[in-house]
C-alpha cells in the first residue's frame, strides 16, 4: 500500500538520559519533507505506530491542481499575515522592484526589496518564497504519488477525438506545477546567466523533492547543482506536455499551451534558442495579440484574447490590501493608489518609448497629461504623478484577475531566440506581429538582441520579468544616471551576491544535507535523527538517518496543545529498537 509522504524523525531517547536534558530536546514531526511541529520530550505521553491510512482520495487527487491554483494567490501559505506575501504575484512584484525599470515612490510594503536588502536567510522574504514554491512542489508530489500505477504509460485515448481522462490531466498538471516551482526556485536562490557564465550550471541551488513512488525519492536532499535541477524541470514539462491537450475548463487550468509557454521560458533561460523558438511558436498560433484599443483596459480581465494563463478572481474571492493590484495600481484605493508607495516607470526607460507607441499611455507624463479620472477609484491620487503607471487598473470588489502568461511574451521569445542565432531579419518579422498592435510607425527590417530586450522591458513592465531577465543576461542595475527619478542612488553589479536569496533558516532545519555549517556558520539548527519502536522507553539514537528506509503510518499522542486534540497521525521509520 502506498502512503502520503510523511516521516517522523526525532532525537535520542534513552532510559539513562537525565530528565533535564530530555526536557530540552524535541520530537520533530516531518510531513512531505518538512518539519510541521516540534514537541518537547517532556510533553510526549506515548507513541503507537500501527495505524495505517491511505493516500489522497480520488476526489482529492482530481481537485489538487485547482487547489494549487488557489495556493498561488493564498496569503496563508506563507505562514505570515503581512501584506507583501500574497503568493506568486508578491514574488514577482518583489523581484520587479529589484530591477531598474520600476520606481517605488514611498516606503511601504516591499521597500526592502526595492533596496536590495531582503535576501538573508532569517528574513521573511526568503522564507515566504521558499514556503510558497515548496508547497507547490509538495502538493504536486501528492498527485504524482497517488496516480494509478501505469497511468503515464497508457493514458491517452486519441481515437475518435477523445482527449486524456481527468485523472491524466490532473497528473499532467502536477508535473507542470512542480517544474514551474523549480523554474523559479533555481533562479531565485542562485546566480543564472548560464550562457555568459557556464560555470554557474555547477553552483549548488536547492534540494529536489520527489514523490515516494519515484525512483529518486529521498536521494537529492542536498543543494543540487543548477544543471541537475534544470534537467528535472525539462523532464517534468515534457511529461506534462505529453499528457495534456488544449482543452480545459478555464484559463486558470494548465493546458498544453501553458506547458509550451513554460518550455519556451525554460529554453530561453538555458540558451537553447532553437527550442525556445519552437515552443513559443506552438503557443503563438493559438492566440491573438491584443489590439491597440485594448491597451488601456487595465490588465485585469482573464478573458483578454491574448491571456494564456492566469487566475480568475470573483467578487467573493477578491483580495483587497494585500493584493497585487493594491501594490502595483495607482488607480486603486490601495497602497499604490492612495500614495503610500506609488509605482512609477523609470524615467530613462520611459524616454525610450516613442510618442507613436500606444504603450506610452501606460504611464503618466507631466508634459502630456493623461486624465484617468474615469478609470480610477475616487480615493486614488497617485496616478497623477509624473511617470506614474496607468497600465494596471481597478474595478469594484477587488475582482481584478492575475495574468501569468500572455501571447505577447511568446512573440518576444520568438524574436529573441532568432536574434540570438543571428537571424535578425527573421527576428524583425516575428517582432512585427507584436509591434503592429503597439506602434503603427514601427518598420524595422532587422533587430538585434538589445532591440528585443528593450521591447520586453516595455511590453512586460510590472508583470514580473525584469529581475529574471537581468540575471539571465548577466546585467546589473545603475539607478544613479543623470535625470534618474529613483528616490535614492543604488548600483548593483551583475556579479553582486544581492542578486540571489540565501536559503531560509527553515530549509536548513528541514534538510540537514544542506550542510548549513559550510554556508551559514552562524546558523545552528537542530538536525533531527531517527527513532524507532512503539514505546518511548525502547527508542534510541540511529545515525546517520537513512531517508530511504521503509516508512509506516503511526500516531503520536502528545500533551502539547499545538497538536490538534493531542493526537496527530505521522509516519515513522520502520526500524526495531
Amino acid at each position: 500500500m502506498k502512503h502520503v509522504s510523511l516521516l517522523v524523525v526525532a532525537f535520542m531517547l534513552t532510559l539513562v538520559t537525565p530528565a533535564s536534558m530530555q526536557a530540552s530536546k524535541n520530537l520533530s514531526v516531518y510531513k512531505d519533507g518538512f518539519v510541521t511541529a516540534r514537541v518537547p520530550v517532556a510533553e510526549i505521553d506515548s507513541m503507537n505506530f500501527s495505524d495505517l491510512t491511505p493516500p489522497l482520495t480520488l476526489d482529492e487527487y482530481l481537485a489538487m491542481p485547482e487547489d494549487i491554483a488557489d495556493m498561488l494567490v493564498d496569503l496563508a501559505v506563507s505562514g505570515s499575515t503581512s501584506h507583501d506575501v500574497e503568493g506568486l504575484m508578491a514574488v514577482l512584484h518583489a523581484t520587479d522592484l529589484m530591477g531598474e525599470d520600476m520606481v517605488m515612490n514611498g516606503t511601504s510594503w516591499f521597500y526592502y526589496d526595492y533596496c536590495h536588502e531582503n535576501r538573508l536567510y532569517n528574513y521573511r522574504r526568503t522564507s515566504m518564497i521558499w514556503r510558497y514554491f515548496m508547497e507547490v512542489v509538495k502538493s504536486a508530489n501528492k498527485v504524482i504519488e497517488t496516480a494509478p500505477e501505469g497511468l503515464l504509460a497508457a493514458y491517452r485515448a486519441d481515437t475518435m477525438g477523445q482527449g486524456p481522462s481527468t485523472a491524466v490531466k490532473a497528473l499532467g498538471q502536477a508535473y507542470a506545477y512542480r517544474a514551474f516551482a523549480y523554474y523559479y526556485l533555481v533562479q531565485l536562490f542562485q546566480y543564472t546567466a548560464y550562457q555568459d557564465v557556464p560555470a554557474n550550471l555547477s553552483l549548488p541551488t536547492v534540494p529536489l523533492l520527489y514523490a515516494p513512488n519515484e525512483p529518486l525519492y529521498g536521494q537529492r536532499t542536498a543543494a543540487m547543482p543548477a544543471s541537475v535541477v534544470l534537467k528535472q524541470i525539462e523532464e517534468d514539462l515534457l511529461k506534462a506536455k505529453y499528457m495534456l491537450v488544449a482543452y480545459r475548463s478555464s484559463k486558470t487550468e494548465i493546458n498544453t499551451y501553458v506547458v509550451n509557454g513554460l518550455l519556451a521560458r525554460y529554453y530561453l533561460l538555458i540558451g537553447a534558442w532553437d527550442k525556445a523558438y519552437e515552443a513559443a511558436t506552438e503557443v503563438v498560433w493559438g492566440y491573438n495579440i491584443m489590439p491597440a484599443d485594448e491597451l488601456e483596459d487595465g490588465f485585469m480581465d482573464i478573458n483578454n484574447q491574448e491571456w494564456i494563463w492566469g487566475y480568475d478572481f470573483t467578487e467573493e474571492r477578491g483580495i483587497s490590501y494585500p493584493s497585487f493590484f493594491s501594490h502595483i495600481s495607482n488607480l486603486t484605493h490601495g497602497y499604490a493608489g492612495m500614495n503610500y508607495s506609488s509605482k512609477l516607470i523609470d524615467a530613462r526607460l520611459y524616454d525610450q518609448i516613442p510618442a507613436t507607441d500606444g504603450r506610452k499611455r501606460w504611464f503618466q507624463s507631466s508634459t502630456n497629461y493623461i486624465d484617468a479620472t474615469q478609470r480610477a477609484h475616487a480615493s486614488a491620487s497617485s496616478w497623477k504623478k509624473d511617470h506614474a503607471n496607468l497600465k494596471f487598473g481597478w474595478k469594484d470588489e477587488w475582482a481584478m484577475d492575475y495574468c501569468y502568461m500572455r501571447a505577447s511574451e511568446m512573440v518576444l521569445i520568438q524574436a529573441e531566440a532568432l536574434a540570438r542565432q543571428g537571424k535578425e531579419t527573421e527576428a524583425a518579422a516575428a517582432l512585427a506581429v507584436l509591434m503592429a498592435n503597439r506602434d503603427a510607425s514601427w518598420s524595422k527590417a532587422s533587430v538585434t538582441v538589445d532591440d528585443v530586450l528593450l521591447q520586453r522591458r516595455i511590453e512586460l513592465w510590472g508583470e514580473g520579468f525584469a529581475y529574471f531577465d537581468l540575471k539571465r543576461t548577466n546585467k546589473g542595475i545603475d539607478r544613479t544616471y543623470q535625470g534618474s527619478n529613483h528616490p535614492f542612488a543604488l548600483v548593483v553589479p551583475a556579479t553582486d551576491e544581492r542578486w540571489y536569496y540565501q536559503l531560509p533558516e527553515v530549509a536548513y532545519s528541514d534538510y540537514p544535507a544542506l550542510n548549513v555549517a559550510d554556508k551559514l556558520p552562524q546558523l545552528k539548527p537542530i538536525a533531527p535523527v531517527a527513532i524507532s519502536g512503539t514505546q518511548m522507553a525502547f527508542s534510541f539514537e540511529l545515525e546517520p538517518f537513512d531517508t530511504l528506509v521503509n516508512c509506516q503510518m503511526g500516531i503520536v499522542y502528545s500533551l502539547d496543545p499545538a497538536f490538534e486534540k493531542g493526537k496527530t497521525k505521522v509516519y515513522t521509520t520502520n526500524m526495531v529498537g
Side-chain angles (χ1 to χ4, degrees):
M1 177 182 291
K2 295 187 298 179
H3 305 292
V4 175
S5 173
L6 189 63
L7 189 61
V8 171
V9 283
F11 49 84
M12 173 180 173
L13 289 174
T14 66
L15 295 176
V16 297
T17 303
S20 61
M21 292 182 62
Q22 289 186 12
S24 66
K25 296 181 182 245
N26 293 323
L27 171 73
S28 296
V29 179
Y30 267 59
K31 180 177 181 181
D32 298 319
F34 286 84
V35 173
T36 58
R38 288 191 175 90
V39 185
V41 175
E43 297 178 358
I44 301 293
D45 179 53
S46 65
M47 293 185 188
N48 177 16
F49 301 108
S50 59
D51 183 32
L52 299 178
T53 59
L56 296 177
T57 65
L58 177 60
D59 287 344
E60 290 171 337
Y61 169 89
L62 296 177
M64 186 59 76
E66 184 177 348
D67 291 343
I68 298 176
D70 291 340
M71 187 185 303
L72 293 182
V73 301
D74 192 346
L75 183 70
V77 176
S78 69
S80 171
T81 58
S82 299
H83 284 193
D84 62 347
V85 295
E86 190 244 332
L88 173 64
M89 300 308 291
V91 177
L92 299 183
H93 190 54
T95 51
D96 254 350
L97 285 166
M98 294 170 67
E100 190 173 82
D101 296 342
M102 186 179 293
V103 176
M104 184 172 186
N105 191 254
T107 56
S108 186
W109 301 106
F110 295 98
Y111 182 72
Y112 290 110
D113 302 288
Y114 183 55
C115 299
H116 273 254
E117 295 177 356
N118 215 1
R119 62 174 293 270
L120 299 182
Y121 72 92
N122 56 346
Y123 285 8
R124 188 178 69 251
R125 176 67 65 219
T126 55
S127 175
M128 170 262 170
I129 290 172
W130 174 266
R131 288 180 186 277
Y132 261 107
F133 288 117
M134 290 307 286
E135 192 65 32
V136 171
V137 170
K138 290 187 294 177
S139 297
N141 281 343
K142 289 179 182 178
V143 176
I144 295 169
E145 177 189 4
T146 311
E149 190 171 350
L151 185 64
L152 181 59
Y155 76 95
R156 203 167 180 176
D158 284 326
T159 58
M160 303 302 292
Q162 296 179 358
S165 67
T166 53
V168 171
K169 289 173 65 178
L171 182 58
Q173 289 183 79
Y175 281 117
Y177 270 121
R178 188 169 71 177
F180 168 78
Y182 277 117
Y183 167 82
Y184 281 109
L185 285 168
V186 75
Q187 296 181 82
L188 289 162
F189 288 102
Q190 193 50 272
Y191 295 116
T192 55
Y194 303 126
Q195 286 298 297
D196 290 342
V197 191
N200 287 352
L201 288 166
S202 301
L203 293 176
T205 58
V206 293
L208 282 169
L209 189 63
Y210 295 91
N213 58 340
E214 294 183 286
L216 292 173
Y217 175 67
Q219 296 187 33
R220 290 178 169 177
T221 57
M224 301 309 298
S227 59
V228 175
V229 179
L230 291 168
K231 182 179 179 181
Q232 187 61 53
I233 292 169
E234 182 180 24
E235 289 179 1
D236 282 355
L237 287 176
L238 291 176
K239 285 181 181 178
K241 180 177 179 178
Y242 181 67
M243 302 175 78
L244 297 173
V245 293
Y247 175 78
R248 56 183 171 178
S249 58
S250 73
K251 289 185 180 181
T252 299
E253 185 179 325
I254 292 179
N255 67 354
T256 186
Y257 285 115
V258 175
V259 173
N260 278 319
L262 294 175
L263 279 166
R265 291 177 179 178
Y266 166 79
Y267 289 129
L268 196 69
L269 172 64
I270 67 170
W273 313 124
D274 54 343
K275 291 183 177 181
Y277 175 81
E278 180 181 346
T281 300
E282 290 193 45
V283 182
V284 168
W285 72 266
Y287 290 86
N288 297 318
I289 301 298
M290 75 175 83
D293 59 4
E294 294 181 11
L295 289 178
E296 297 179 45
D297 285 354
F299 275 77
M300 55 185 175
D301 190 348
I302 200 169
N303 294 312
N304 184 298
Q305 60 187 300
E306 79 161 64
W307 283 29
I308 300 166
W309 184 34
Y311 191 85
D312 188 5
F313 275 103
T314 61
E315 292 184 3
E316 293 76 17
R317 177 81 193 188
I319 301 171
S320 56
Y321 294 105
S323 74
F324 170 67
F325 277 86
S326 172
H327 295 291
I328 189 71
S329 175
N330 296 308
L331 301 172
T332 67
H333 54 307
Y335 289 110
M338 295 179 70
N339 210 22
Y340 291 100
S341 58
S342 49
K343 301 305 188 300
L344 322 177
I345 187 175
D346 172 77
R348 183 165 52 182
L349 177 60
Y350 176 80
D351 290 343
Q352 294 181 76
I353 306 175
T356 53
D357 193 321
R359 296 169 298 185
K360 194 88 169 181
R361 291 185 58 82
W362 281 349
F363 308 101
Q364 187 62 275
S365 171
S366 59
T367 59
N368 186 24
Y369 182 76
I370 300 171
D371 187 357
T373 304
Q374 299 304 313
R375 290 187 281 151
H377 187 276
S379 300
S381 61
S382 58
W383 60 267
K384 302 174 184 178
K385 292 182 178 181
D386 192 24
H387 294 105
N389 99 80
L390 309 176
K391 178 179 179 178
F392 298 94
W394 168 82
K395 59 184 175 182
D396 290 337
E397 304 301 333
W398 295 96
M400 297 87 88
D401 301 329
Y402 289 176
C403 180
Y404 300 153
M405 183 185 294
R406 57 190 183 93
S408 291
E409 179 202 350
M410 296 298 116
V411 171
L412 288 161
I413 291 176
Q414 285 181 309
E416 182 178 346
L418 291 168
R420 294 279 184 185
Q421 299 176 78
K423 301 176 181 179
E424 296 183 348
T425 301
E426 294 175 55
L431 189 57
V433 175
L434 171 65
M435 298 307 295
N437 294 279
R438 300 294 181 263
D439 185 354
S441 68
W442 192 90
S443 59
K444 291 190 176 182
S446 66
V447 294
T448 65
V449 172
D450 286 340
D451 291 331
V452 179
L453 292 177
L454 173 61
Q455 293 304 323
R456 278 184 68 91
R457 293 171 64 193
I458 298 170
E459 179 69 26
L460 303 176
W461 188 95
E463 297 180 51
F465 293 91
Y467 164 91
F468 301 99
D469 281 350
L470 286 168
K471 289 186 68 174
R472 73 178 176 86
T473 58
N474 203 32
K475 295 179 180 179
I477 61 170
D478 183 354
R479 300 175 182 168
T480 65
Y481 62 90
Q482 185 175 2
S484 172
N485 58 334
H486 289 272
F488 61 89
L490 180 68
V491 177
V492 186
T495 55
D496 196 291
E497 65 180 10
R498 285 173 288 179
W499 281 116
Y500 69 88
Y501 294 91
Q502 293 181 341
L503 290 173
E505 188 170 1
V506 64
Y508 289 105
S509 293
D510 293 348
Y511 290 90
L514 288 174
N515 296 321
V516 60
D518 295 338
K519 190 169 184 179
L520 299 173
Q522 70 272 36
L523 178 62
K524 300 185 184 303
I526 300 174
V529 294
I531 126 176
S532 66
T534 58
Q535 300 293 329
M536 288 183 62
F538 292 99
S539 302
F540 61 94
E541 187 169 4
L542 299 172
E543 289 188 316
F545 174 62
D546 183 0
T547 59
L548 299 180
V549 297
N550 184 35
C551 298
Q552 290 190 349
M553 194 71 174
I555 297 178
V556 171
Y557 293 87
S558 170
L559 302 178
D560 186 347
F563 278 75
E564 182 180 359
K565 298 180 181 179
K567 177 179 178 180
T568 298
K569 292 183 179 181
V570 296
Y571 275 111
T572 182
T573 57
N574 186 23
M575 297 180 179
V576 178

